[in-house]
Amino acid sequence: MAPPAAIEVLGDSDTTGITIPDPLAVPIRTNDILGRRRKTESRQWGTAAPCDTASFRLKSYAGKPKAKRWDHILTEEAKSRKGSSLKGAAKYLSKPGLISLGGGIPSSEYFPFEELSVKVPARGHFSEEETRKTGVTLTAGKHDLANGKSIFDISTAFNYGQGAGSAQLLRWLTEHTELVHDLQYEDWACTMNVGSTSGLEAAFRMFTRPGDMILSEIYTFAAAVDCATPLGLRVAGIPMDDEGPLPEAMDDILANWDTSARGARKPRLFYTVPTGQNPTGCTQPASRRKALYKVCQKHDIYIIEDEPYYFLQMQPYTGQNSPDVPPPASHEEFLKSLVPGYLSFDTDGRVMRLDSFSKVLSPGSRTGWVTASQQIVTAYAKAADLSTQNPSGMSQLVLFKLLDEHWGHGGYFDWLIHIRMSYTARRDSILAACEKHLPPDVVSWNPPMAGMFSWLKVDFTKHPDYPAESIEGIQDKIFLGNVDHGVLLMPGSWFYANAEDEHDTLFFRATYAAAPAEKIEEAIRRFGESIRKEFKL
Amino acid sequence: MAPPAAIEVLGDSDTTGITIPDPLAVPIRTNDILGRRRKTESRQWGTAAPCDTASFRLKSYAGKPKAKRWDHILTEEAKSRKGSSLKGAAKYLSKPGLISLGGGIPSSEYFPFEELSVKVPARGHFSEEETRKTGVTLTAGKHDLANGKSIFDISTAFNYGQGAGSAQLLRWLTEHTELVHDLQYEDWACTMNVGSTSGLEAAFRMFTRPGDMILSEIYTFAAAVDCATPLGLRVAGIPMDDEGPLPEAMDDILANWDTSARGARKPRLFYTVPTGQNPTGCTQPASRRKALYKVCQKHDIYIIEDEPYYFLQMQPYTGQNSPDVPPPASHEEFLKSLVPGYLSFDTDGRVMRLDSFSKVLSPGSRTGWVTASQQIVTAYAKAADLSTQNPSGMSQLVLFKLLDEHWGHGGYFDWLIHIRMSYTARRDSILAACEKHLPPDVVSWNPPMAGMFSWLKVDFTKHPDYPAESIEGIQDKIFLGNVDHGVLLMPGSWFYANAEDEHDTLFFRATYAAAPAEKIEEAIRRFGESIRKEFKL
């Protein structure tokens, strides 16, 4: 339980007037942010202190509409959450001179940690090689807050926190969200989670009840299905084309929903990975996102936008023999190159966006965040208070030192461009291998624009056992043949949204994220060999 | 989702034969552990690699009984968990030479972290002052595993992991558990969680369904009730004496359970904080634990043993004018001084123990662990795989460096003795203040033997408004009077297991964990003044 902020006891009032470090020693909108960071209440930097992310926004949202209310979709569990009852004490803590013997918060005297340091890349010198040579060591001391050295330190980060996370990192996350998305309603807010898988589970528990069906891509993130199934949920898969789920198909499913045939009431939740989807690698263009959003408005569907790959959007694919497209020349150009998130046209507050550092900084930080309307964020944070609590304070402190005090927003954009170019090279290398080694009559693909995955379509009708053998049967033979040839690709059926549905396609998923280029080429060569053998080419 | 271990891709096979660092350069059982740490499979140190905690045990449990099965108590949700379906790929990954393009695990090349360091106390020099002067800096490099410098590093800890946590830290936790408890059945195991609050929520979801009642102390951890309520649970409070819940009362409640009067089926779960309970400060002696365990056996009740304060067991209280009891002279003596946990006489595998670093190292690590039978641990870890995943890898790496590579088990016991002596001094100081400042006719207490809390009983029958005013009414007057006098104590009613029950006692909880001694005395002085005024003494 995150206990009430023991302000007086912890000497937080000594910390007023700390200089906020320059978060943006960088071209992009620097002065805007520096000018716009408001004078914030120093009490919120204290141990387990609550904060209000609205106070971290850079722009005014006056005149924008308020988000709709979601009481009719939220579960009883979500609506009955009152948060931690002991926080009732918090309102008394502001009394001057009060000594609290209330909260069971340990004294930081008993944390055996005097300093925490990380060696990280200097801005613009991002490779491992450069980091070894020119990397910068960032150090957090135990009492930097009390000493005026920083607004975050070991004594606060390593103590209890709020389920929403620390004000220090939440401010940066809120600003980042605002720099990237053009939010369309007034009462949006951010709150942290211990990673998007936890975020998704929390969302399922907030928005569904056992027996429900949810909507998703017909091929979808396997862990989402694995997470949903024990909660008594099933997934209704929406047929896709190269641009993602088909809005007409989604509308048709919903308009003609047959409760008794489906064995479930009409869905209220659409789970989607709009960018570099796992497993298909598909990226929904803006027009598709808007069309899907309209269908959701028509049928009053709430949207979970899961975006771990958003910043793995790559350079346009020009083919093997054309020159590469040069990297974005500015942060503005970089941000403009990104497909707009659902957040950028969500006027209803109908979207919960899940953001993650897992694919761009470190999965092990187990620190992600949610952006949604205040009603939903509050419900979410109250659930976190009494389950996961805050993400690790050690992670939060490391991320704060790197992102706020060292790189700033601009430096982080530089890093994201570095990642973008690296993934572009990886994708180009797997595509080159595919073009070189795979039989084009049997295996085909679209160049992925984002993410970690090549989604290779296999024409099962050319298989010698077709049509006597099922698609899944042919798939399994290919899978085992691949392993015999020394390569492992993920079978498409492992990503079926609903294994009960009939499927008329056969895919394999190959990731280019992990292995070095020469291993990727060798792997694809083996896959080609395996396919040729299996199809007797 | 914790993806399958991409062994080949990540070059894990290079790491065979690493020398395991000496974990116990200390007297206690040193040679035992050094000799007993088995030759472990180096593959389990790899990225997101699974492990089997049974292989980390120091003793043989052959001949001990197997734990009972809990299928009849586990929920459908828990029983239907199959874990992550993509892990089906894992069995193929051991094929020599296989290249996996399977798991969507990012390359550590893209983690912008070259080194992580913490400055921590040298063994035996534990104060903040000493740490500043003689502290030791522990450093984890990015590729220490591949370089043979350590079995844990940034490239593995900062990547995805298993829901159970890393093998590296799990080994230490398993050994620690075994050193402290004398386990009585064969198939016990450990698994990590993101803290005990999350552990408790997971347990509720595994063992209860909406509408159930659970058993707990009549005054109980408020966050447990706050966590249970939105899940549709209610708590049946067991009357307590100075030694904890009364076994006869518990037996009586269960033997005479009236389903329709209670509006709930007979409970299957007993949630207890046996040591330094929050809020009462009560520590159940071994005899009471055994008696309660027997009642649980009789009625087939599963036990959640929540033990954050286990190592805040203090020295015996000798009163203000007697000499202090000297600290334990050896680790053996220290361990013998601890009340045995339920684990030490649990022959059925009926207990899930929740352990925490929050009160003894850092709440912000958000790294705790569970000890239970293999069936329960497996179900728990599968749930974690698809929700919280592993605790932060940053936290795990920091804890591993400190506990395994630096202090070892013996050094950690030294630290725990240091904490014990510090809390003993804090407790003695609040008791001295209570004896000095509180009117003995109205306020009484037992010296707490463990934990963070003084539980102050107020004789409400002496209040001028009694019996016209209710207990809770009198309590609220005192609470507000306290705030007026500049001191905040937690009202006992905030810890009612069940607010619907009639209560015939009035308490306030005061913590001595956070404030410095002189502030504690001043706070208790103000409380005494407030009580005298309220009771017109």
Side-chain angles (χ1 to χ4, degrees):
Chain A
M1 180 202 81
I7 302 301
E8 208 275 343
V9 168
L10 290 144
D12 182 60
S13 53
D14 296 337
T15 62
T16 324
I18 281 177
T19 311
I20 293 168
D22 174 350
L24 260 191
V26 292
I28 184 172
R29 304 182 197 186
T30 306
N31 298 323
D32 284 2
I33 287 212
L34 282 180
R36 283 199 216 146
R37 267 198 173 176
R38 301 182 200 175
K39 187 158 168 42
T40 38
E41 173 57 69
S42 71
R43 182 171 291 165
Q44 71 193 322
W45 311 133
T47 300
C51 71
D52 172 10
T53 62
S55 72
F56 299 144
R57 295 172 184 172
L58 305 168
K59 290 197 286 187
S60 164
Y61 290 81
K64 300 261 188 195
K66 282 255 185 192
K68 289 186 190 299
R69 298 282 303 177
W70 301 100
D71 306 74
H72 59 298
I73 294 186
L74 287 169
T75 55
E76 286 310 307
E77 178 185 319
K79 281 190 279 194
S80 68
R81 288 197 179 276
K82 304 211 175 353
S84 164
S85 58
L86 296 191
K87 288 189 179 152
K91 64 182 166 195
Y92 300 104
L93 293 174
S94 56
K95 189 182 146 80
L98 184 94
I99 306 178
S100 172
L101 303 181
I105 300 183
S107 165
S108 67
E109 193 181 336
Y110 306 123
F111 304 164
F113 302 102
E114 174 64 21
E115 280 177 5
L116 175 76
S117 302
V118 276
K119 186 175 171 188
V120 300
R123 252 193 84 189
H125 302 278
F126 291 128
S127 73
E128 283 197 318
E129 177 88 26
E130 284 176 294
T131 306
R132 271 192 293 274
K133 287 184 196 153
T134 65
V136 177
T137 297
L138 313 174
T139 298
K142 190 163 188 180
H143 299 292
D144 285 357
L145 179 60
N147 296 336
K149 285 193 193 160
S150 173
I151 55 166
F152 209 18
D153 64 9
I154 288 177
S155 74
T156 43
F158 285 30
N159 214 323
Y160 282 106
Q162 295 283 328
S166 69
Q168 288 89 337
L169 186 57
L170 256 181
R171 178 174 65 174
W172 191 92
L173 296 172
T174 304
E175 291 169 353
H176 171 77
T177 301
E178 202 175 2
L179 289 173
V180 174
H181 305 285
D182 186 21
L183 287 117
Q184 296 299 324
Y185 61 96
E186 196 278 329
D187 49 337
W188 65 274
C190 295
T191 188
M192 285 187 226
N193 59 31
V194 300
S196 289
T197 310
S198 174
L200 183 57
E201 194 219 16
F204 285 156
R205 297 201 190 270
M206 284 170 68
F207 292 113
T208 68
R209 61 188 194 203
D212 278 358
M213 290 190 84
I214 57 172
L215 297 158
S216 189
E217 289 89 347
I218 196 162
Y219 286 101
T220 189
F221 180 37
V225 179
D226 293 338
C227 174
T229 305
L231 308 189
L233 307 176
R234 287 173 301 141
V235 184
I238 308 168
M240 304 172 74
D241 66 9
D242 298 346
E243 299 195 336
L246 292 160
E248 306 73 27
M250 186 180 187
D251 185 37
D252 187 57
I253 288 170
L254 288 165
N256 300 302
W257 190 265
D258 181 337
T259 299
S260 69
R262 295 276 192 172
R265 61 179 181 164
K266 194 172 161 182
R268 288 137 184 254
L269 203 61
F270 171 41
Y271 169 74
T272 184
V273 179
T275 311
Q277 198 238 8
N278 182 355
T280 65
C282 173
T283 297
Q284 301 165 16
S287 54
R288 177 61 56 92
R289 293 173 195 227
K290 286 176 187 165
L292 288 165
Y293 185 82
K294 274 199 182 140
V295 176
C296 289
Q297 284 185 307
K298 178 177 167 190
H299 295 281
D300 201 19
I301 303 289
Y302 192 86
I303 301 168
I304 309 288
E305 177 185 27
D306 187 7
E307 278 290 34
Y309 310 106
Y310 190 71
F311 288 110
L312 298 188
Q313 294 183 54
M314 295 170 286
Q315 299 290 94
Y317 181 67
T318 52
Q320 297 311 315
N321 302 313
S322 309
D324 292 342
V325 178
S330 69
H331 295 149
E332 256 86 9
E333 200 181 292
F334 168 61
L335 290 174
K336 263 190 209 151
S337 77
L338 302 172
V339 182
Y342 279 77
L343 281 187
S344 288
F345 46 84
D346 175 22
T347 45
D348 299 343
R350 181 180 296 285
V351 176
M352 173 191 281
R353 182 181 169 96
L354 298 172
D355 270 291
S356 168
F357 287 126
S358 290
K359 307 303 192 287
V360 290
L361 285 179
S362 154
S365 80
R366 298 284 91 217
T367 302
W369 76 101
V370 168
T371 308
S373 67
Q374 186 66 58
Q375 180 190 19
I376 299 304
V377 160
T378 300
Y380 189 99
K382 278 185 180 168
D385 268 337
L386 292 161
S387 57
T388 58
Q389 300 200 28
N390 52 285
S392 158
M394 298 178 178
S395 292
Q396 288 190 65
L397 186 53
V398 164
L399 292 169
F400 174 80
K401 288 304 228 192
L402 176 67
L403 296 172
D404 189 298
E405 289 191 345
H406 177 49
W407 281 349
H409 291 286
Y412 184 54
F413 289 142
D414 288 344
W415 168 260
L416 293 173
I417 293 168
H418 165 73
I419 296 285
R420 176 189 182 96
M421 300 311 292
S422 305
Y423 271 83
T424 300
R426 284 178 167 272
R427 175 206 56 192
D428 292 355
S429 108
I430 201 171
L431 291 179
C434 289
E435 289 174 23
K436 189 167 163 194
H437 296 295
L438 301 184
D441 289 353
V442 173
V443 188
S444 60
W445 58 89
N446 291 311
M449 290 162 59
M452 295 183 152
F453 304 111
S454 254
W455 185 236
L456 303 166
K457 186 171 189 173
V458 176
D459 185 352
F460 56 89
T461 64
K462 302 227 166 74
H463 193 276
D465 297 349
Y466 178 83
E469 182 71 274
S470 71
I471 293 180
E472 289 79 8
I474 292 172
Q475 169 194 277
D476 291 352
K477 284 184 181 175
I478 300 171
F479 175 78
L480 293 173
N482 291 346
V483 171
D484 268 352
H485 277 74
V487 61
L488 189 139
L489 280 74
M490 292 298 203
S493 73
W494 295 10
F495 304 92
Y496 285 166
N498 193 328
E500 305 295 307
D501 291 345
E502 291 265 340
H503 290 78
D504 58 2
T505 46
L506 198 176
F507 289 94
F508 279 88
R509 190 194 78 174
T511 179
Y512 43 89
E518 67 282 6
K519 288 227 173 174
I520 289 182
E521 171 160 12
E522 173 58 15
I524 294 295
R525 196 195 61 73
R526 293 178 188 178
F527 176 53
E529 204 171 79
S530 162
I531 285 281
R532 282 194 178 83
K533 185 171 171 204
E534 191 58 49
F535 282 76
K536 305 195 192 302
L537 300 179
Chain B
M1 181 202 77
I7 303 301
E8 208 276 343
V9 168
L10 290 144
D12 182 58
S13 54
D14 296 337
T15 63
T16 323
I18 281 177
T19 312
I20 294 167
D22 174 352
L24 259 191
V26 291
I28 184 172
R29 303 183 198 185
T30 307
N31 299 322
D32 284 4
I33 286 213
L34 281 181
R36 283 199 216 145
R37 266 199 174 178
R38 302 182 201 175
K39 189 158 167 41
T40 38
E41 173 58 69
S42 71
R43 183 171 289 166
Q44 72 193 323
W45 311 133
T47 300
C51 70
D52 172 11
T53 63
S55 73
F56 299 145
R57 295 174 185 171
L58 305 169
K59 290 196 286 186
S60 163
Y61 291 81
K64 299 262 189 196
K66 283 254 185 193
K68 288 187 191 298
R69 299 280 303 176
W70 301 99
D71 307 74
H72 59 298
I73 293 186
L74 287 169
T75 55
E76 287 310 308
E77 179 185 318
K79 281 190 279 195
S80 68
R81 289 197 179 276
K82 304 209 176 354
S84 165
S85 58
L86 296 191
K87 288 190 179 151
K91 63 180 165 195
Y92 300 103
L93 293 174
S94 56
K95 189 181 143 81
L98 184 93
I99 306 177
S100 171
L101 303 181
I105 300 183
S107 165
S108 66
E109 192 182 336
Y110 306 123
F111 304 164
F113 302 101
E114 175 64 20
E115 281 177 4
L116 174 76
S117 302
V118 275
K119 186 175 171 189
V120 300
R123 252 193 84 189
H125 303 278
F126 292 129
S127 73
E128 283 197 319
E129 177 89 24
E130 285 176 294
T131 307
R132 271 191 294 274
K133 286 184 196 154
T134 65
V136 177
T137 297
L138 314 174
T139 298
K142 191 163 188 179
H143 299 292
D144 285 357
L145 180 58
N147 297 335
K149 285 192 193 161
S150 174
I151 56 166
F152 209 18
D153 64 8
I154 288 176
S155 74
T156 43
F158 284 30
N159 214 322
Y160 282 105
Q162 294 284 328
S166 69
Q168 288 89 337
L169 186 57
L170 256 180
R171 178 173 64 174
W172 191 92
L173 296 171
T174 304
E175 291 169 353
H176 171 76
T177 301
E178 203 175 2
L179 289 173
V180 174
H181 305 286
D182 186 20
L183 288 117
Q184 296 300 324
Y185 61 95
E186 196 280 328
D187 49 336
W188 64 275
C190 295
T191 188
M192 285 187 226
N193 60 31
V194 301
S196 290
T197 311
S198 174
L200 183 57
E201 194 219 17
F204 285 157
R205 297 202 190 271
M206 284 169 68
F207 292 113
T208 68
R209 60 187 195 203
D212 278 357
M213 291 190 83
I214 58 172
L215 298 158
S216 189
E217 289 88 348
I218 196 162
Y219 287 99
T220 188
F221 180 39
V225 180
D226 293 339
C227 174
T229 306
L231 308 189
L233 306 176
R234 287 173 301 140
V235 184
I238 307 168
M240 304 172 73
D241 65 9
D242 297 346
E243 299 195 337
L246 292 159
E248 306 72 27
M250 187 180 186
D251 185 37
D252 187 58
I253 288 169
L254 288 165
N256 300 301
W257 190 264
D258 181 337
T259 299
S260 68
R262 294 276 193 171
R265 61 179 180 164
K266 194 172 162 183
R268 289 136 185 252
L269 204 62
F270 171 40
Y271 168 74
T272 184
V273 179
T275 312
Q277 198 238 9
N278 182 355
T280 66
C282 174
T283 297
Q284 301 165 16
S287 54
R288 177 61 57 91
R289 293 173 195 226
K290 286 177 188 165
L292 289 165
Y293 185 83
K294 275 201 183 139
V295 177
C296 289
Q297 284 185 308
K298 177 178 168 191
H299 295 281
D300 201 18
I301 302 288
Y302 193 86
I303 300 169
I304 310 288
E305 177 186 29
D306 186 8
E307 278 291 34
Y309 310 105
Y310 191 71
F311 287 110
L312 299 188
Q313 293 183 55
M314 295 170 287
Q315 299 290 94
Y317 181 66
T318 52
Q320 296 310 315
N321 303 313
S322 309
D324 292 341
V325 178
S330 68
H331 295 148
E332 256 86 10
E333 200 182 293
F334 168 61
L335 291 173
K336 263 190 210 151
S337 77
L338 302 172
V339 183
Y342 279 77
L343 281 187
S344 288
F345 46 83
D346 175 21
T347 44
D348 298 343
R350 181 180 295 284
V351 175
M352 173 190 280
R353 182 182 169 95
L354 298 172
D355 269 292
S356 168
F357 287 126
S358 290
K359 306 303 192 287
V360 288
L361 286 179
S362 153
S365 80
R366 298 284 92 219
T367 302
W369 75 102
V370 168
T371 307
S373 68
Q374 187 66 58
Q375 180 190 19
I376 300 305
V377 160
T378 300
Y380 189 99
K382 279 184 180 169
D385 268 336
L386 293 161
S387 57
T388 58
Q389 300 199 27
N390 51 287
S392 159
M394 298 177 177
S395 291
Q396 288 189 64
L397 186 54
V398 164
L399 291 169
F400 173 80
K401 288 305 235 193
L402 175 66
L403 296 172
D404 189 298
E405 288 191 345
H406 176 50
W407 281 350
H409 292 284
Y412 183 55
F413 289 142
D414 288 343
W415 169 259
L416 293 173
I417 292 168
H418 165 74
I419 295 286
R420 175 189 182 96
M421 300 311 292
S422 305
Y423 271 83
T424 299
R426 284 178 167 270
R427 176 206 56 191
D428 291 356
S429 108
I430 200 170
L431 291 180
C434 289
E435 289 175 22
K436 187 166 164 195
H437 297 294
L438 301 184
D441 289 352
V442 173
V443 188
S444 59
W445 58 90
N446 291 310
M449 290 162 59
M452 295 182 152
F453 305 111
S454 254
W455 186 235
L456 303 166
K457 185 171 190 174
V458 176
D459 184 351
F460 56 88
T461 64
K462 303 227 164 77
H463 193 275
D465 296 349
Y466 178 82
E469 182 70 272
S470 70
I471 293 180
E472 289 80 7
I474 293 172
Q475 170 194 277
D476 292 352
K477 284 183 182 175
I478 300 172
F479 175 78
L480 294 172
N482 291 346
V483 171
D484 268 353
H485 277 75
V487 61
L488 190 140
L489 280 73
M490 292 300 203
S493 73
W494 295 11
F495 304 92
Y496 286 166
N498 193 327
E500 305 296 307
D501 292 343
E502 290 265 341
H503 290 78
D504 59 1
T505 45
L506 197 174
F507 289 93
F508 280 88
R509 190 194 79 175
T511 179
Y512 43 89
E518 67 282 5
K519 288 225 172 176
I520 288 181
E521 172 162 10
E522 172 59 16
I524 294 295
R525 195 195 60 75
R526 293 178 187 178
F527 176 54
E529 204 172 78
S530 162
I531 285 280
R532 283 195 177 81
K533 186 172 170 204
E534 190 60 47
F535 281 76
K536 305 195 192 303
L537 300 179

